Amino acid sequence: MKVIICGAGQVGTTIARHLSMEGNDVTVIDASAEAARRADESYDVRGMVGFASHPATLRAAGAEEADLLIAVTRSDEVNLVACLVGQALFQVRRRIARLRHHGYLEPNWQGAQAAERALVDVVISPEVEVARGIARRLRTPGAFDMAPLSDGRLQLLGIHCEGAACPMTGQSLGGLRAQAAERGFTIVALLREGAARMPRDEERIAAGDDVYVVARPERADAVVAAFGHREEEARRVVIVGGGNVGLHLAQMLKRDALVSLKVIEHDPVRAGLVAEALGPGSVVLSGDALDRELLEEANIGAVDTVIAVTNDDETNIFVSVLAKRAGCGRAITLVNKSSYAPVVDELGIDAVVSPSSITIASILRHVRRGAVGQVYPLGDGMVEVLEVRALAGSALVAAPLGELALPKGMLVAAILRDGEPRLPEPGFRIQPGDEVIAVVAQAAREAAEALIALPGSEPGAGQ
Protein backbone atom coordinates (compact mmCIF):
# COMPACT_ATOMS: atom_id res chain seq x y z
CA MET A 1 0.00 0.00 0.00
CA LYS A 2 1.33 3.45 -0.92
CA VAL A 3 0.72 6.02 1.82
CA ILE A 4 1.31 9.77 1.96
CA ILE A 5 1.45 11.38 5.42
CA CYS A 6 1.20 15.16 5.62
CA GLY A 7 2.94 16.37 8.77
CA ALA A 8 6.13 15.08 10.38
CA GLY A 9 5.26 15.84 13.97
CA GLN A 10 4.99 13.20 16.69
CA VAL A 11 1.69 11.85 15.34
CA GLY A 12 2.78 11.78 11.70
CA THR A 13 6.17 10.16 12.30
CA THR A 14 4.75 7.54 14.68
CA ILE A 15 2.10 6.54 12.14
CA ALA A 16 4.79 6.46 9.47
CA ARG A 17 6.87 4.13 11.62
CA HIS A 18 3.93 1.76 12.16
CA LEU A 19 2.97 1.64 8.50
CA SER A 20 6.52 1.31 7.18
CA MET A 21 7.21 -1.60 9.56
CA GLU A 22 4.24 -3.34 7.96
CA GLY A 23 5.89 -3.13 4.55
CA ASN A 24 3.97 -0.15 3.19
CA ASP A 25 5.52 2.45 0.89
CA VAL A 26 5.36 5.63 3.02
CA THR A 27 6.20 9.24 2.13
CA VAL A 28 6.12 11.95 4.81
CA ILE A 29 5.72 15.60 3.80
CA ASP A 30 6.57 18.56 6.04
CA ALA A 31 7.27 22.24 5.46
CA SER A 32 10.22 22.00 7.84
CA ALA A 33 13.37 20.67 6.21
CA GLU A 34 14.64 19.51 9.61
CA ALA A 35 11.45 17.56 10.40
CA ALA A 36 11.44 15.95 6.95
CA ARG A 37 15.12 15.02 7.32
CA ARG A 38 14.53 13.41 10.74
CA ALA A 39 11.67 11.33 9.34
CA ASP A 40 13.80 10.26 6.38
CA GLU A 41 16.77 9.27 8.54
CA SER A 42 14.91 7.73 11.49
CA TYR A 43 12.45 5.43 9.73
CA ASP A 44 12.23 3.38 6.57
CA VAL A 45 10.21 6.14 4.87
CA ARG A 46 10.81 8.89 2.37
CA GLY A 47 10.96 12.33 3.97
CA MET A 48 10.08 15.23 1.70
CA VAL A 49 10.11 19.02 2.15
CA GLY A 50 7.09 20.96 0.87
CA PHE A 51 3.64 22.32 1.56
CA ALA A 52 1.25 19.39 1.87
CA SER A 53 -1.69 21.27 0.34
CA HIS A 54 0.15 22.19 -2.88
CA PRO A 55 -0.65 20.02 -5.92
CA ALA A 56 2.98 20.01 -7.05
CA THR A 57 4.10 18.71 -3.65
CA LEU A 58 1.53 15.92 -3.63
CA ARG A 59 2.40 14.97 -7.19
CA ALA A 60 6.09 14.77 -6.29
CA ALA A 61 5.14 12.59 -3.31
CA GLY A 62 3.44 10.12 -5.66
CA ALA A 63 -0.21 11.02 -5.04
CA GLU A 64 -1.23 9.66 -8.44
CA GLU A 65 -0.46 6.13 -7.20
CA ALA A 66 -1.36 6.64 -3.52
CA ASP A 67 -3.88 4.40 -1.78
CA LEU A 68 -4.12 6.48 1.41
CA LEU A 69 -3.50 10.09 2.44
CA ILE A 70 -3.27 10.98 6.13
CA ALA A 71 -3.24 14.72 6.86
CA VAL A 72 -2.00 15.49 10.39
CA THR A 73 -0.26 18.87 10.05
CA ARG A 74 -0.78 21.54 12.71
CA SER A 75 -3.24 23.37 10.44
CA ASP A 76 -6.83 22.18 10.00
CA GLU A 77 -7.08 24.15 6.76
CA VAL A 78 -3.94 22.54 5.30
CA ASN A 79 -5.28 19.11 6.25
CA LEU A 80 -8.62 19.79 4.56
CA VAL A 81 -7.06 21.22 1.39
CA ALA A 82 -4.58 18.34 1.18
CA CYS A 83 -7.50 15.88 1.23
CA LEU A 84 -9.42 17.96 -1.32
CA VAL A 85 -6.46 18.14 -3.71
CA GLY A 86 -5.69 14.47 -3.14
CA GLN A 87 -9.18 13.51 -4.23
CA ALA A 88 -9.93 16.07 -6.92
CA LEU A 89 -6.61 15.97 -8.77
CA PHE A 90 -5.16 12.56 -7.94
CA GLN A 91 -8.15 10.38 -6.94
CA VAL A 92 -6.45 9.12 -3.78
CA ARG A 93 -8.73 6.30 -2.67
CA ARG A 94 -8.88 7.04 1.06
CA ARG A 95 -8.29 10.25 3.01
CA ILE A 96 -8.01 10.83 6.77
CA ALA A 97 -7.74 14.30 8.32
CA ARG A 98 -7.03 15.49 11.84
CA LEU A 99 -9.20 18.51 12.69
CA ARG A 100 -8.93 20.46 15.94
CA HIS A 101 -11.19 23.51 15.64
CA HIS A 102 -14.63 22.92 17.10
CA GLY A 103 -16.25 24.72 14.16
CA TYR A 104 -15.38 21.83 11.87
CA LEU A 105 -17.04 19.42 14.30
CA GLU A 106 -20.40 21.19 14.41
CA PRO A 107 -23.44 19.24 13.16
CA ASN A 108 -23.62 21.29 9.93
CA TRP A 109 -20.02 20.32 9.04
CA GLN A 110 -20.64 16.69 9.94
CA GLY A 111 -23.68 16.71 7.68
CA ALA A 112 -21.62 18.14 4.85
CA GLN A 113 -19.00 15.48 5.43
CA ALA A 114 -21.64 12.76 5.27
CA ALA A 115 -23.02 14.17 2.02
CA GLU A 116 -19.61 14.85 0.45
CA ARG A 117 -17.56 11.75 1.16
CA ALA A 118 -15.37 12.79 -1.75
CA LEU A 119 -13.52 15.21 0.54
CA VAL A 120 -12.59 13.35 3.77
CA ASP A 121 -13.37 9.74 4.59
CA VAL A 122 -12.48 9.94 8.28
CA VAL A 123 -12.22 13.00 10.54
CA ILE A 124 -10.14 12.57 13.69
CA SER A 125 -10.65 15.18 16.43
CA PRO A 126 -7.99 14.78 19.15
CA GLU A 127 -10.04 16.72 21.68
CA VAL A 128 -13.16 14.61 21.15
CA GLU A 129 -11.15 11.37 21.14
CA VAL A 130 -9.40 12.30 24.40
CA ALA A 131 -12.72 13.21 26.03
CA ARG A 132 -14.25 9.90 24.93
CA GLY A 133 -11.25 7.98 26.21
CA ILE A 134 -11.49 9.61 29.65
CA ALA A 135 -15.24 9.03 29.79
CA ARG A 136 -14.70 5.33 29.06
CA ARG A 137 -12.12 5.08 31.84
CA LEU A 138 -14.56 6.64 34.30
CA ARG A 139 -17.08 3.90 33.53
CA THR A 140 -14.49 1.24 34.49
CA PRO A 141 -12.65 2.90 37.39
CA GLY A 142 -10.35 -0.04 38.16
CA ALA A 143 -8.83 0.10 34.67
CA PHE A 144 -6.36 2.72 33.50
CA ASP A 145 -7.41 2.08 29.89
CA MET A 146 -10.54 0.75 28.24
CA ALA A 147 -11.50 0.35 24.59
CA PRO A 148 -14.71 -1.20 23.26
CA LEU A 149 -14.27 -4.12 20.86
CA SER A 150 -16.78 -5.40 18.33
CA ASP A 151 -19.20 -2.51 18.81
CA GLY A 152 -19.02 -2.84 22.59
CA ARG A 153 -19.75 -6.55 22.88
CA LEU A 154 -16.28 -7.02 24.38
CA GLN A 155 -13.89 -4.71 26.22
CA LEU A 156 -10.14 -4.34 26.13
CA LEU A 157 -9.06 -3.43 29.68
CA GLY A 158 -5.67 -2.18 30.85
CA ILE A 159 -5.23 -3.01 34.56
CA HIS A 160 -2.38 -1.84 36.79
CA CYS A 161 -0.85 -4.30 39.27
CA GLU A 162 -0.18 -2.35 42.46
CA GLY A 163 2.29 -4.55 44.29
CA ALA A 164 0.99 -6.36 47.36
CA ALA A 165 -2.52 -5.02 46.73
CA CYS A 166 -2.70 -7.06 43.52
CA PRO A 167 -3.40 -10.80 44.10
CA MET A 168 -1.89 -11.55 40.69
CA THR A 169 1.58 -10.25 41.61
CA GLY A 170 4.14 -13.07 41.51
CA GLN A 171 1.90 -15.48 39.61
CA SER A 172 2.97 -16.92 36.28
CA LEU A 173 0.94 -16.00 33.23
CA GLY A 174 0.69 -19.66 32.27
CA GLY A 175 -0.80 -20.51 35.66
CA LEU A 176 -3.32 -17.71 35.28
CA ARG A 177 -4.69 -18.89 31.95
CA ALA A 178 -7.11 -21.47 33.36
CA GLN A 179 -8.11 -19.11 36.15
CA ALA A 180 -8.70 -16.32 33.62
CA ALA A 181 -10.91 -18.54 31.46
CA GLU A 182 -13.02 -19.50 34.49
CA ARG A 183 -13.48 -15.82 35.35
CA GLY A 184 -14.42 -14.91 31.79
CA PHE A 185 -11.39 -13.03 30.48
CA THR A 186 -8.27 -13.57 28.40
CA ILE A 187 -4.84 -12.08 29.16
CA VAL A 188 -3.57 -10.62 25.90
CA ALA A 189 -0.51 -8.47 26.69
CA LEU A 190 1.88 -7.38 29.42
CA LEU A 191 3.28 -3.85 29.69
CA ARG A 192 6.48 -3.35 31.65
CA GLU A 193 8.13 0.08 31.77
CA GLY A 194 5.99 1.19 28.83
CA ALA A 195 7.05 -1.68 26.54
CA ALA A 196 4.33 -4.06 25.36
CA ARG A 197 5.00 -7.79 25.03
CA MET A 198 3.03 -10.94 24.35
CA PRO A 199 2.20 -13.00 27.46
CA ARG A 200 4.69 -15.84 27.96
CA ASP A 201 3.62 -18.75 30.16
CA GLU A 202 6.82 -18.74 32.22
CA GLU A 203 6.75 -15.00 32.90
CA ARG A 204 5.53 -13.78 36.29
CA ILE A 205 3.54 -10.61 36.94
CA ALA A 206 5.64 -8.08 38.85
CA ALA A 207 4.59 -5.11 40.95
CA GLY A 208 4.04 -2.13 38.68
CA ASP A 209 3.20 -4.19 35.60
CA ASP A 210 0.22 -3.33 33.44
CA VAL A 211 -1.86 -6.22 32.13
CA TYR A 212 -4.25 -6.01 29.17
CA VAL A 213 -7.21 -8.38 29.11
CA VAL A 214 -10.27 -8.96 26.92
CA ALA A 215 -13.58 -9.52 28.71
CA ARG A 216 -17.31 -9.13 28.37
CA PRO A 217 -18.59 -5.73 29.60
CA GLU A 218 -20.74 -7.32 32.30
CA ARG A 219 -17.64 -9.08 33.68
CA ALA A 220 -15.45 -5.95 33.76
CA ASP A 221 -15.98 -5.14 37.45
CA ALA A 222 -15.26 -8.73 38.50
CA VAL A 223 -12.14 -8.83 36.32
CA VAL A 224 -10.60 -5.65 37.74
CA ALA A 225 -11.53 -6.87 41.24
CA ALA A 226 -9.50 -10.04 40.58
CA PHE A 227 -6.48 -7.73 40.23
CA GLY A 228 -7.25 -6.05 43.55
CA HIS A 229 -9.17 -3.03 42.24
CA ARG A 230 -12.47 -2.22 43.91
CA GLU A 231 -12.88 1.43 43.03
CA GLU A 232 -16.44 2.63 42.62
CA GLU A 233 -17.68 4.54 39.59
CA ALA A 234 -17.11 8.26 40.06
CA ARG A 235 -20.16 10.31 41.05
CA ARG A 236 -18.44 13.52 42.20
CA VAL A 237 -16.11 14.85 39.52
CA VAL A 238 -14.05 18.02 39.09
CA ILE A 239 -12.69 18.88 35.65
CA VAL A 240 -9.75 21.30 35.68
CA GLY A 241 -9.56 23.07 32.33
CA GLY A 242 -12.49 24.31 30.28
CA GLY A 243 -10.83 24.07 26.88
CA ASN A 244 -12.11 21.86 24.09
CA VAL A 245 -11.22 18.63 25.89
CA GLY A 246 -12.73 19.78 29.19
CA LEU A 247 -15.91 21.07 27.56
CA HIS A 248 -16.45 17.94 25.44
CA LEU A 249 -15.91 15.77 28.52
CA ALA A 250 -18.21 17.88 30.69
CA GLN A 251 -20.96 17.62 28.08
CA MET A 252 -20.56 13.83 27.99
CA LEU A 253 -20.65 13.48 31.77
CA LYS A 254 -23.56 15.88 32.16
CA ARG A 255 -25.82 13.36 30.43
CA ASP A 256 -25.53 11.15 33.51
CA ALA A 257 -27.92 12.57 36.09
CA LEU A 258 -26.07 10.76 38.89
CA VAL A 259 -22.80 12.64 38.28
CA SER A 260 -22.17 15.81 40.30
CA LEU A 261 -19.86 17.90 38.13
CA LYS A 262 -17.76 21.03 38.61
CA VAL A 263 -15.45 22.71 36.11
CA ILE A 264 -12.53 25.02 36.94
CA GLU A 265 -11.35 27.36 34.17
CA HIS A 266 -8.66 30.03 34.53
CA ASP A 267 -9.95 32.44 31.86
CA PRO A 268 -13.16 34.17 33.03
CA VAL A 269 -14.41 34.70 29.47
CA ARG A 270 -13.93 31.03 28.61
CA ALA A 271 -15.54 30.06 31.94
CA GLY A 272 -18.62 32.01 30.92
CA LEU A 273 -18.75 30.25 27.56
CA VAL A 274 -18.44 26.86 29.26
CA ALA A 275 -21.21 27.69 31.73
CA GLU A 276 -23.44 28.77 28.84
CA ALA A 277 -22.68 25.62 26.85
CA LEU A 278 -23.40 23.33 29.82
CA GLY A 279 -26.65 25.10 30.67
CA PRO A 280 -28.56 25.57 33.92
CA GLY A 281 -27.41 23.69 36.99
CA SER A 282 -23.75 23.71 35.94
CA VAL A 283 -21.05 24.73 38.41
CA VAL A 284 -18.19 26.53 36.66
CA LEU A 285 -15.53 28.19 38.82
CA SER A 286 -13.17 30.78 37.37
CA GLY A 287 -9.65 31.09 38.76
CA ASP A 288 -6.23 29.53 39.14
CA ALA A 289 -6.59 25.79 39.77
CA LEU A 290 -3.37 25.88 41.82
CA ASP A 291 -4.96 28.34 44.25
CA ARG A 292 -5.61 26.43 47.46
CA GLU A 293 -8.69 28.54 48.29
CA LEU A 294 -10.26 27.77 44.91
CA LEU A 295 -9.58 24.06 45.36
CA GLU A 296 -11.22 24.24 48.78
CA GLU A 297 -14.21 26.00 47.22
CA ALA A 298 -14.45 23.10 44.76
CA ASN A 299 -14.25 20.74 47.79
CA ILE A 300 -11.48 18.90 45.96
CA GLY A 301 -10.69 16.58 48.87
CA ALA A 302 -14.18 15.10 48.87
CA VAL A 303 -14.57 14.34 45.17
CA ASP A 304 -14.21 10.88 43.67
CA THR A 305 -12.15 11.96 40.67
CA VAL A 306 -10.27 15.04 39.51
CA ILE A 307 -9.52 15.27 35.78
CA ALA A 308 -6.82 17.78 34.85
CA VAL A 309 -7.00 18.67 31.14
CA THR A 310 -5.58 22.20 30.84
CA ASN A 311 -3.17 23.08 28.03
CA ASP A 312 -0.25 23.08 30.48
CA ASP A 313 1.32 19.76 31.53
CA GLU A 314 2.86 21.19 34.69
CA THR A 315 -0.46 22.62 35.87
CA ASN A 316 -2.18 19.30 35.26
CA ILE A 317 0.46 17.40 37.22
CA PHE A 318 0.55 19.79 40.18
CA VAL A 319 -3.26 20.02 40.42
CA SER A 320 -3.50 16.24 40.43
CA VAL A 321 -0.87 15.91 43.17
CA LEU A 322 -2.58 18.58 45.31
CA ALA A 323 -5.96 16.91 44.83
CA LYS A 324 -4.64 13.49 45.83
CA ARG A 325 -2.95 14.91 48.93
CA ALA A 326 -6.19 16.65 49.88
CA GLY A 327 -8.01 13.30 49.84
CA CYS A 328 -9.37 13.04 46.28
CA GLY A 329 -9.97 9.41 45.37
CA ARG A 330 -8.55 9.38 41.86
CA ALA A 331 -6.60 11.67 39.54
CA ILE A 332 -6.60 11.49 35.75
CA THR A 333 -4.02 13.75 34.13
CA LEU A 334 -3.50 14.91 30.57
CA VAL A 335 0.21 15.00 29.71
CA ASN A 336 1.59 15.88 26.28
CA LYS A 337 5.30 15.42 26.98
CA SER A 338 6.25 11.75 27.02
CA SER A 339 9.33 12.55 29.14
CA TYR A 340 7.03 13.29 32.09
CA ALA A 341 5.48 9.80 32.15
CA PRO A 342 7.99 8.16 34.57
CA VAL A 343 7.73 11.12 36.97
CA VAL A 344 3.94 11.07 36.93
CA ASP A 345 3.85 7.40 37.91
CA GLU A 346 5.98 8.11 40.98
CA LEU A 347 3.68 10.96 42.10
CA GLY A 348 0.72 8.66 42.72
CA ILE A 349 -1.37 9.89 39.79
CA ASP A 350 -3.78 7.13 38.80
CA ALA A 351 -4.03 7.52 35.03
CA VAL A 352 -2.13 9.52 32.42
CA VAL A 353 -3.79 10.55 29.18
CA SER A 354 -1.60 11.19 26.13
CA PRO A 355 -3.41 13.11 23.36
CA SER A 356 -0.85 12.09 20.74
CA SER A 357 -1.12 8.39 21.68
CA ILE A 358 -4.91 8.52 21.50
CA THR A 359 -4.80 10.32 18.15
CA ILE A 360 -2.33 7.80 16.74
CA ALA A 361 -4.46 4.87 17.92
CA SER A 362 -7.59 6.48 16.47
CA ILE A 363 -5.98 6.93 13.06
CA LEU A 364 -4.48 3.44 12.97
CA ARG A 365 -7.90 1.98 13.75
CA HIS A 366 -9.14 3.43 10.47
CA VAL A 367 -6.28 2.14 8.34
CA ARG A 368 -7.95 -1.04 7.19
CA ARG A 369 -5.82 -3.91 5.94
CA GLY A 370 -7.64 -6.66 4.06
CA ALA A 371 -9.80 -8.63 6.47
CA VAL A 372 -8.56 -6.52 9.39
CA GLY A 373 -11.15 -4.04 10.62
CA GLN A 374 -9.96 -2.11 13.65
CA VAL A 375 -6.45 -1.86 15.12
CA TYR A 376 -5.63 -1.02 18.76
CA PRO A 377 -1.91 -0.42 19.44
CA LEU A 378 -0.80 -1.15 23.03
CA GLY A 379 1.94 0.66 24.90
CA ASP A 380 4.80 1.40 22.51
CA GLY A 381 2.85 -0.13 19.62
CA MET A 382 4.92 -3.31 19.40
CA VAL A 383 1.78 -5.33 20.17
CA GLU A 384 -1.62 -4.70 18.57
CA VAL A 385 -5.14 -5.97 19.11
CA LEU A 386 -6.95 -6.59 15.82
CA GLU A 387 -10.59 -7.07 14.92
CA VAL A 388 -10.60 -9.59 12.07
CA ARG A 389 -13.38 -10.94 9.86
CA ALA A 390 -12.77 -14.63 9.08
CA LEU A 391 -12.82 -15.22 5.33
CA ALA A 392 -13.91 -18.41 3.58
CA GLY A 393 -10.80 -20.07 2.15
CA SER A 394 -8.35 -18.46 4.58
CA ALA A 395 -6.06 -20.58 6.76
CA LEU A 396 -7.86 -19.19 9.81
CA VAL A 397 -10.90 -21.42 9.11
CA ALA A 398 -8.97 -24.51 8.00
CA ALA A 399 -8.83 -26.35 11.33
CA PRO A 400 -9.86 -26.18 15.01
CA LEU A 401 -7.97 -23.54 17.03
CA GLY A 402 -5.78 -26.13 18.74
CA GLU A 403 -4.56 -27.38 15.36
CA LEU A 404 -4.00 -24.02 13.67
CA ALA A 405 -0.36 -23.18 13.04
CA LEU A 406 -0.57 -19.76 14.67
CA PRO A 407 2.72 -17.90 14.26
CA LYS A 408 4.75 -17.24 17.40
CA GLY A 409 3.65 -13.82 18.58
CA MET A 410 -0.02 -14.26 17.71
CA LEU A 411 -2.91 -15.39 19.88
CA VAL A 412 -6.69 -15.53 19.47
CA ALA A 413 -8.32 -13.71 22.39
CA ALA A 414 -12.02 -14.13 21.53
CA ILE A 415 -14.41 -15.09 18.75
CA LEU A 416 -17.83 -13.59 18.04
CA ARG A 417 -20.41 -15.64 16.16
CA ASP A 418 -23.78 -14.06 15.44
CA GLY A 419 -22.79 -11.31 17.85
CA GLU A 420 -22.21 -13.72 20.75
CA PRO A 421 -18.70 -13.56 22.28
CA ARG A 422 -16.85 -16.79 23.01
CA LEU A 423 -13.50 -17.31 24.68
CA PRO A 424 -11.10 -19.49 22.65
CA GLU A 425 -10.98 -23.25 23.26
CA PRO A 426 -8.66 -25.71 21.43
CA GLY A 427 -11.58 -27.61 19.89
CA PHE A 428 -13.43 -24.53 18.63
CA ARG A 429 -13.39 -24.07 14.87
CA ILE A 430 -13.63 -20.57 13.41
CA GLN A 431 -16.20 -20.26 10.63
CA PRO A 432 -16.33 -17.80 7.72
CA GLY A 433 -18.03 -14.61 8.88
CA ASP A 434 -16.94 -14.98 12.51
CA GLU A 435 -15.34 -11.93 14.06
CA VAL A 436 -11.99 -12.74 15.65
CA ILE A 437 -10.16 -10.67 18.26
CA ALA A 438 -6.49 -11.40 17.64
CA VAL A 439 -3.37 -10.11 19.36
CA VAL A 440 -0.24 -9.79 17.23
CA ALA A 441 3.33 -8.78 18.04
CA GLN A 442 5.19 -6.61 15.55
CA ALA A 443 7.55 -9.44 14.55
CA ALA A 444 4.62 -11.75 13.74
CA ARG A 445 2.51 -9.29 11.75
CA GLU A 446 3.40 -10.51 8.26
CA ALA A 447 2.80 -14.17 9.16
CA ALA A 448 -0.44 -13.28 10.97
CA GLU A 449 -1.77 -11.34 7.99
CA ALA A 450 -0.92 -14.27 5.70
CA LEU A 451 -2.98 -16.54 7.97
CA ILE A 452 -5.90 -14.10 7.93
CA ALA A 453 -5.85 -13.30 4.19
CA LEU A 454 -7.15 -15.37 1.31
CA PRO A 455 -4.58 -17.58 -0.48
CA GLY A 456 -2.85 -15.60 -3.20
CA SER A 457 -3.87 -12.19 -1.84
CA GLU A 458 -1.30 -9.65 -0.73
CA PRO A 459 -0.99 -9.47 3.07
CA GLY A 460 -1.45 -5.96 4.36
CA ALA A 461 -3.30 -4.74 1.30
CA GLY A 462 -5.87 -2.06 2.03
CA GLN A 463 -9.51 -2.30 1.05
Side-chain angles (χ1 to χ4, degrees):
M1 181 165 65
K2 182 171 181 54
V3 183
I4 296 174
I5 298 176
C6 304
Q10 182 178 357
V11 171
T13 53
T14 304
I15 293 170
R17 175 172 64 88
H18 277 278
L19 295 181
S20 67
M21 290 175 71
E22 295 166 13
N24 298 292
D25 179 1
V26 180
T27 299
V28 180
I29 303 171
D30 201 279
S32 165
E34 177 63 19
R37 183 189 63 78
R38 282 198 305 267
D40 190 87
E41 294 178 353
S42 302
Y43 311 104
D44 186 18
V45 304
R46 176 190 176 200
M48 189 179 133
V49 183
F51 293 98
S53 57
H54 289 186
T57 302
L58 290 174
R59 179 178 286 108
E64 291 172 323
E65 298 84 32
D67 301 293
L68 174 65
L69 186 148
I70 302 174
V72 287
T73 74
R74 296 180 182 275
S75 168
D76 289 355
E77 290 71 28
V78 169
N79 294 340
L80 284 172
V81 174
C83 289
L84 173 62
V85 173
Q87 189 281 329
L89 298 186
F90 304 109
Q91 291 76 53
V92 178
R93 287 195 299 166
R94 188 166 173 79
R95 298 155 307 283
I96 299 174
R98 176 178 66 179
L99 300 179
R100 295 180 180 277
H101 194 276
H102 64 86
Y104 292 123
L105 306 174
E106 295 294 329
N108 59 337
W109 160 246
Q110 293 176 1
Q113 180 201 349
E116 300 292 342
R117 287 294 179 184
L119 179 56
V120 182
D121 294 290
V122 177
V123 171
I124 300 295
S125 166
E127 287 81 5
V128 173
E129 294 295 332
V130 169
R132 286 174 179 163
I134 295 173
R136 289 196 300 265
R137 296 179 191 199
L138 290 176
R139 289 194 291 271
T140 312
F144 70 86
D145 194 9
M146 191 280 274
L149 300 173
S150 302
D151 297 323
R153 288 185 285 268
L154 288 169
Q155 289 182 348
L156 176 67
L157 302 172
I159 308 172
H160 186 63
C161 297
E162 298 179 350
C166 176
M168 303 297 186
T169 300
Q171 296 194 44
S172 70
L173 292 174
L176 288 175
R177 287 191 187 278
Q179 182 184 148
E182 291 174 1
R183 297 191 181 191
F185 68 94
T186 303
I187 297 174
V188 297
L190 182 70
L191 269 69
R192 184 169 291 165
E193 298 179 353
R197 63 183 75 181
M198 299 291 291
R200 301 196 305 267
D201 285 352
E202 69 277 8
E203 195 159 24
R204 295 185 180 275
I205 296 177
D209 283 350
D210 295 324
V211 179
Y212 271 95
V213 307
V214 169
R216 291 172 179 257
E218 64 270 18
R219 297 290 303 160
D221 289 342
V223 171
V224 295
F227 285 81
H229 292 276
R230 290 177 173 79
E231 297 92 333
E232 295 184 359
E233 191 169 344
R235 296 302 180 194
R236 293 166 296 175
V237 178
V238 170
I239 298 174
V240 179
N244 289 337
V245 173
L247 178 55
H248 284 305
L249 179 59
Q251 290 172 325
M252 292 175 189
L253 299 182
K254 197 172 184 293
R255 298 169 192 157
D256 187 343
L258 297 178
V259 173
S260 172
L261 178 66
K262 295 177 183 176
V263 179
I264 298 176
E265 166 56 37
H266 186 271
D267 181 4
V269 176
R270 179 65 184 182
L273 292 174
V274 171
E276 182 179 354
L278 294 179
S282 308
V283 178
V284 181
L285 305 176
S286 178
D288 185 354
L290 295 176
D291 186 328
R292 189 175 297 276
E293 290 185 4
L294 183 62
L295 293 178
E296 290 176 355
E297 183 180 352
N299 200 18
I300 201 76
V303 303
D304 300 316
T305 303
V306 63
I307 306 167
V309 289
T310 75
N311 292 325
D312 184 76
D313 286 355
E314 290 80 6
T315 296
N316 294 338
I317 292 170
F318 281 120
V319 165
S320 299
V321 171
L322 290 174
K324 290 286 286 187
R325 290 183 177 178
C328 173
R330 190 181 189 209
I332 299 176
T333 308
L334 186 148
V335 177
N336 285 285
K337 299 173 185 174
S338 58
S339 57
Y340 282 164
V343 177
V344 171
D345 288 341
E346 295 176 2
L347 293 175
I349 294 172
D350 301 281
V352 176
V353 177
S354 167
S356 60
S357 296
I358 290 176
T359 303
I360 291 163
S362 299
I363 291 172
L364 288 175
R365 282 203 293 270
H366 292 285
V367 180
R368 298 181 184 274
R369 297 171 292 181
V372 177
Q374 305 286 354
V375 181
Y376 301 85
L378 304 181
D380 56 358
M382 298 308 290
V383 174
E384 292 180 340
V385 178
L386 312 178
E387 294 184 12
V388 176
R389 181 68 62 182
L391 303 176
S394 71
L396 198 60
V397 301
L401 276 174
E403 299 175 21
L404 284 180
L406 294 180
K408 184 178 180 181
M410 177 184 180
L411 66 83
V412 173
I415 304 101
L416 290 96
R417 179 171 297 167
D418 299 325
E420 181 64 25
R422 304 163 184 255
L423 293 181
E425 296 178 359
F428 187 86
R429 187 164 188 155
I430 297 171
Q431 296 180 359
D434 286 351
E435 190 170 354
V436 179
I437 306 301
V439 186
V440 181
Q442 182 72 49
R445 181 174 286 108
E446 186 175 345
E449 290 187 350
L451 182 77
I452 293 164
L454 293 173
S457 65
E458 181 184 350
Q463 289 196 141

